[in-house]
Amino acid sequence: MDTFASLALGFEAALVPTVLLYCFIGVFLGTLIGVLPGIGPLAAISLLLPITYYIGPAAAIIMIAGVYYGSQYGGSTTSILLRIPGTSSAAVVAIDGYPMTQQGRGGIALLMTTIASFAGAMIGLVILVLFAPAVAEFALNFGSAEYFAIMLLGLLSAATLSASLLKGAAMVVLGLVLSMVGTDVNSGVSRFDFGFVELYDGINLIAIAMGLFAIADIISNAVGSEGPRRIGKVSFRSMVPTRKDIGRSWPAILRGTGVGGFFGALPGAGLTMASFIAYATEKRTSRTPEEFGNGAIEGVVGPEAANNAAAQTSFVPTLSLGIPGDATMALIMGALIIHGITPGPLLIDQHPDIFWGLIASFIIGNIMLMFLNIPLIGIWLSLLRIPYRMLYPAILIFVCLGVYSVNGNPFDIYLVAIIGALGYVLSRLSFEPAPLLLGFILGPLMEEHFRRALVLSRGDITVFVERPISATILSVCTLILLWSIWKAWRHRPMDAPEGTS
Amino acid sequence: MTKFTTKYLTGMLVAIGLAGTLTTAKPLSAQDVGDNFPERLITTVVPFPPGGAADTFARLLSEQFEQRWGQATVVENRPGGGGIVATRHVVGQPADGYTFLIVTVGHAVNPSLQDSLPYDTLNDLTPVAMVAQLPSVLVVNAGLEVETVADLVEMAQANPGGLTFGSSGNATTSHVAGALFTTLAGVDMLHVPYSGSAPAITDLIGGQIDMMIDPVLSSAQHVETGRLRALAVSTAERSALVPDLPTMAEAGIDGYEFGAWFMLLAPAGTPEPIVAKVNAAINEMLKTDAMTDRLARLGAEAVSMAPSDLQAFLEAEIASYAEIVEAAGMKVD
């Protein structure tokens, strides 16, 4: 059966009215939980899972998948408007999205992210359909040494996000240090818990994200150190991007999609890493890197295209190998297993209706998301009309709810307050919080892969340079590092005296 | 809103009425506790991330509870520390019959594996019901030049410490199953722990590791497509799920018997009538064809036991794993 005939079969399964309804519910809920800070797709899907017992497997998986990729559309909204990432993969969008809002260009940022999301998802989908088996096969070459190398690349990208490489690296390391808290996967020993039972599972990621971004920002505003908030006009006219915006955006969208499509297909690499590397790619390839951090539109659309492309291609390992890349994917796979369908190499042959139905639903779902999100922009923008003194208590409530909802433990609320204070101090010292977040997310994974690579090599550290893929990635890391250092060194004498050029 | 108000008022009236009866009549007997159960949300704690076997069984049970009693249930995943994080959490919960813990072999291994546990495995928890047994299969990467278990043993003997076996983490079923194999076969293989079965199977397919003894379901498709080769089944008798595979004993590993079991526990002191009621309910639902069928699709077989037998079973398992841990020199590594 060729791809088009299969897709036709898929549309037949996905266009059944009830299935269509579940698809809509999925993407709608996804957008909503994406916008709400602190509530991620994992929590939402866990809650939805019991419902899926009562509906057919196709409808169930289509709805749950909709929540997953739908949340990637919503995540950037609060990132851009309020500097509060709705999902961790949208944290990097805040770096340039929030300055755009301050310049009165928030509407353009929102419109362009919706378009970038749609384009990224659709191209990611093409990759998924055409190359799923080949991509999955390639991903099998990735052992622990390769994963360690690729995560190092991710961290290096994160470090180069800020203006100062040294400050970026410091934040990555701080993130790694914080991620050490909690039970060690390898030995079951609880580390740095200071006797707090609540720290056995590590510091709550949501508490870190909300503390560093939302709470730190609220403290800054209360102290008045950020100056008065400049919020531009909120009209529909302000949503229309200029020719220049579009010209700068589309190459960034394509690059972001490429980066995201690749990292999404690697089981375990994750959407957050995809968006960080996409940002670093934009900054590095830009002819005007000094604009980054001050509202460069490439820094918004590139990562946004990347995390949506990754959200689609992360279905590759799950559907074609039966290997879930992250906890959320494991849950999606679990939903199928409960219905007696095991995702894996035989899925396409044994359950073509499920496989192609899901693919068709991705197309339908993304179109729905586009039409859902563009009219919503006006509503989100009007959030900015609310005076800050009335907005911030609402933000605080949402942050507390989101943080509390993860473990149902008040401890995390105290934690978010402490991290918020830390975030304020860091922002006063002009440290960018996003690299810390990636360091925190990748820390435990990196440690696990590093130790496993060494176990497999019987303690021989040269394993990282002996394996070709790992060696290649590490060389890229070295080049980036050397280039950054060289650039910093070259720029130093140019900044001080005038008239060198 | 109206519905809520009505409910609220009814609740108040019932509460006032109840308070009245309590002061005049005798307190609620243990039998009443059992009869009225369940009156509110039942939580089942899973010591692993969502998507795995334990998680799926917990969700199946929850679904059945909801259908049977019309009471909301929730499955809570608390992974980490070879199940210790979740177990310690449940031990600290009130013994009122509304918190359950689903455990597997690792629970019986932890006492001999860890220097100290933050709970007493036999006395802090009370067994409620046996849920299922999962036969495992010994699978190797298809590129490994072995056709039988004997070939594998020969290769491992020729190359001490050279072959590797993966597991879904320390003290997990696949770790125990692998260690039992190396001990009984008298070979030295390197243990490589992963966080969960899926990444370990991925590395087995990719050829990063050589062997794994994991439940049927996780490798079935890969065996069928020829990426992995199954050599033997872990149970004492051949399994209906993989009838063509020889048992380990048939393949030359005398005395090898391993099946992952899944058991429901509750904090010690949970009222006996509740334990009996849940046990009866689970045993009854395991007998239905629908359930047997669903279990088979998960690569599992239903097993029923009375609460009294469960405690003895658990004690025997703990003792036998203490021997394996001792013999295999397994420790937290």
Side-chain angles (χ1 to χ4, degrees):
Chain A
M1 208 169 9
D2 72 340
T3 310
F4 285 102
S6 311
L7 259 183
L9 173 82
F11 275 108
E12 219 170 279
L15 284 172
V16 175
T18 50
V19 176
L20 218 51
L21 178 68
Y22 281 114
C23 181
F24 180 76
I25 294 175
V27 296
F28 181 72
L29 276 178
T31 304
L32 208 63
I33 60 145
V35 171
L36 290 177
I39 302 168
L42 184 65
I45 294 175
S46 304
L47 287 173
L48 278 179
L49 207 59
I51 299 171
T52 63
Y53 294 127
Y54 308 107
I55 58 182
I61 194 76
I62 283 170
M63 175 174 75
I64 286 184
V67 175
Y68 184 70
Y69 59 81
S71 69
Q72 297 305 314
Y73 274 74
S76 53
T77 306
T78 44
S79 232
I80 291 168
L81 295 181
L82 303 168
R83 202 166 167 269
I84 303 168
T87 54
S88 53
S89 53
V92 81
V93 172
I95 301 175
D96 280 283
Y98 186 59
M100 281 185 80
T101 301
Q102 288 177 314
Q103 295 155 10
R105 285 158 51 77
I108 296 171
L110 286 183
L111 182 74
M112 291 311 286
T113 52
T114 304
I115 294 169
S117 297
F118 182 74
M122 281 307 192
I123 302 172
L125 206 50
V126 174
I127 299 172
L128 173 64
V129 171
L130 295 182
F131 307 113
V135 171
E137 204 64 42
F138 178 69
L140 280 180
N141 293 319
F142 278 67
S144 284
E146 284 76 17
Y147 275 110
F148 172 75
I150 211 154
M151 283 166 188
L152 197 64
L153 178 68
L155 291 188
L156 208 55
S157 304
T160 57
L161 289 187
S162 4
S164 152
L165 178 67
L166 210 57
K167 280 188 168 173
M171 290 305 273
V172 168
V173 171
L174 185 59
L176 290 175
V177 168
L178 290 176
S179 78
M180 303 282 282
V181 175
T183 307
D184 169 28
V185 180
N186 290 287
S187 65
V189 174
S190 180
R191 301 182 292 196
F192 309 113
D193 60 13
F194 299 100
F196 288 104
V197 184
E198 292 82 357
L199 289 176
Y200 248 54
D201 291 337
I203 301 174
N204 182 343
L205 167 66
I206 310 293
I208 296 255
M210 291 305 122
L212 287 180
F213 286 90
I215 307 291
D217 202 48
I218 289 172
I219 300 175
S220 291
N221 276 288
V223 176
S225 58
E226 293 244 301
R229 288 166 79 93
R230 277 174 299 140
I231 289 160
K233 47 190 186 321
V234 185
S235 66
F236 276 94
R237 282 284 297 149
S238 68
M239 260 174 68
V240 181
T242 61
R243 191 177 287 271
K244 195 173 151 230
D245 287 332
I246 295 170
R248 285 173 61 169
S249 291
W250 71 262
I253 290 176
L254 289 183
R255 280 190 296 266
T257 303
V259 170
F262 174 74
F263 285 98
L266 284 180
L271 313 185
T272 307
M273 195 156 97
S275 65
F276 273 80
I277 291 186
Y279 186 88
T281 310
E282 287 317 311
K283 196 176 172 185
R284 201 155 291 282
T285 54
S286 172
R287 259 171 277 155
T288 52
E290 67 280 358
E291 278 182 29
F292 280 74
N294 301 314
I297 195 157
E298 296 97 320
V300 177
V301 293
E304 190 62 15
N307 65 41
N308 283 277
Q312 298 300 340
T313 55
S314 58
F315 282 90
V316 170
T318 309
L319 294 177
S320 56
L321 289 176
I323 295 160
D326 58 21
T328 316
M329 251 332 148
L331 209 55
I332 291 176
M333 201 170 134
L336 276 178
I337 291 177
I338 284 168
H339 282 282
I341 296 165
T342 316
L346 302 175
L347 180 72
I348 301 184
D349 291 332
Q350 287 176 349
H351 301 281
D353 54 324
I354 301 275
F355 181 87
W356 291 106
L358 189 59
I359 301 285
S361 85
F362 288 166
I363 299 173
I364 300 167
N366 275 297
I367 295 172
M368 282 180 180
L369 278 165
M370 173 113 136
F371 284 104
L372 187 67
N373 275 277
I374 290 181
L376 280 178
I377 294 174
I379 299 175
W380 299 136
L381 280 177
S382 54
L383 270 181
L384 298 178
R385 288 211 197 95
I386 304 170
Y388 195 69
R389 64 172 194 283
M390 291 159 101
L391 188 61
Y392 86 85
I395 297 175
L396 273 180
I397 288 170
F398 273 114
V399 166
C400 290
L401 275 178
V403 168
Y404 184 77
S405 73
V406 182
N407 294 325
N409 199 327
F411 180 85
D412 288 339
I413 295 180
Y414 301 127
L415 204 60
V416 83
I418 296 168
I419 295 166
L422 172 76
Y424 172 68
V425 173
L426 290 174
S427 82
R428 282 306 299 268
L429 300 171
S430 54
F431 282 97
E432 176 61 53
L436 191 158
L437 196 61
L438 194 71
F440 182 79
I441 292 173
L442 291 186
L445 291 168
M446 239 176 124
E447 185 194 351
E448 195 187 323
H449 285 296
F450 180 71
R451 284 166 70 171
R452 186 179 306 130
L454 285 180
V455 166
L456 283 168
S457 73
R458 277 79 176 167
D460 182 3
I461 198 138
T462 57
V463 63
F464 294 103
V465 290
E466 274 169 2
R467 297 174 59 112
I469 299 178
S470 156
T472 312
I473 303 167
L474 288 179
S475 322
V476 173
C477 290
T478 317
L479 284 177
I480 292 178
L481 200 61
L482 288 177
W483 195 61
S484 300
I485 293 171
W486 180 72
K487 217 176 63 171
W489 175 80
R490 201 187 60 151
H491 273 252
R492 182 158 298 172
M494 274 170 70
D495 288 343
E498 301 269 316
T500 331
S501 53
Chain B
M1 214 28 146
T2 350
K3 199 174 164 196
F4 172 77
T5 325
T6 328
K7 241 181 164 175
Y8 182 65
L9 284 177
T10 323
M12 286 284 279
L13 287 175
V14 169
I16 293 165
L18 211 60
T21 359
L22 279 178
T23 43
T24 52
K26 63 180 167 61
L28 281 167
S29 73
Q31 196 53 51
D32 294 333
V33 173
D35 285 346
N36 296 339
F37 177 86
E39 294 174 302
R40 54 190 170 83
L41 188 77
I42 304 173
T43 306
T44 307
V45 179
V46 177
F48 303 100
D55 181 65
T56 310
F57 291 134
R59 288 178 198 279
L60 271 180
L61 287 182
S62 292
E63 176 203 335
Q64 296 286 327
F65 289 162
E66 279 182 17
Q67 279 176 8
R68 176 173 286 253
W69 294 315
Q71 190 54 252
T73 60
V74 63
V75 173
E76 207 178 294
N77 300 88
R78 286 181 177 259
I84 297 171
V85 172
T87 311
R88 196 180 66 162
H89 167 76
V90 170
V91 164
Q93 296 300 303
D96 53 8
Y98 290 91
T99 308
F100 294 100
L101 172 73
I102 190 157
V103 294
T104 175
V105 178
H107 184 69
V109 184
N110 278 334
S112 20
L113 207 61
Q114 307 285 346
D115 288 336
S116 68
L117 287 174
Y119 53 83
D120 181 336
T121 307
L122 283 171
N123 295 321
D124 284 350
L125 292 149
T126 207
V128 177
M130 186 63 115
V131 182
Q133 184 186 315
L134 240 73
S136 286
V137 283
L138 190 161
V139 280
V140 294
N141 180 287
L144 198 72
E145 289 173 346
V146 294
E147 294 295 330
T148 62
V149 173
D151 292 347
L152 179 67
V153 171
E154 198 180 313
M155 186 184 268
Q157 275 168 346
N159 188 7
L163 294 183
T164 50
F165 75 93
S167 80
S168 38
N170 269 293
T172 56
T173 49
S174 45
H175 184 194
V176 173
L180 183 62
F181 174 81
T182 54
T183 311
L184 292 179
V187 294
D188 178 16
M189 288 173 81
L190 182 69
H191 170 230
V192 187
Y194 287 82
S195 48
S197 168
I201 290 285
T202 311
D203 266 12
L204 185 63
I205 297 168
Q208 322 288 348
I209 51 173
D210 301 307
M211 181 201 84
M212 182 152 169
I213 303 180
D214 209 38
V216 178
L217 193 72
S218 65
S219 59
Q221 287 211 359
H222 305 296
V223 171
E224 214 170 311
T225 49
R227 288 175 188 276
L228 300 179
R229 190 177 300 128
L231 304 183
V233 66
S234 68
T235 40
E237 281 160 33
R238 287 199 180 204
S239 164
L241 299 164
V242 278
D244 297 335
L245 278 188
T247 65
M248 288 280 201
E250 287 169 4
I253 311 292
D254 283 335
Y256 191 102
E257 184 193 345
F258 178 85
W261 41 259
F262 292 83
M263 194 188 278
L264 201 67
L265 305 176
T270 299
E272 224 163 280
I274 294 182
V275 171
K277 189 170 181 177
V278 176
N279 180 281
I282 291 177
N283 289 346
E284 208 173 293
M285 62 180 81
L286 286 176
K287 282 197 194 93
T288 61
D289 284 346
M291 201 65 177
T292 325
D293 181 50
R294 286 182 88 163
L295 286 179
R297 282 192 284 170
L298 294 169
E301 294 156 352
V303 187
S304 295
M305 262 189 226
S308 49
D309 298 336
L310 280 169
Q311 187 73 14
F313 172 82
L314 200 55
E315 279 171 29
E317 287 286 293
I318 292 173
S320 97
Y321 286 120
E323 277 175 41
I324 298 174
V325 169
E326 178 75 38
M330 262 165 76
K331 55 169 192 9
V332 164
D333 57 19

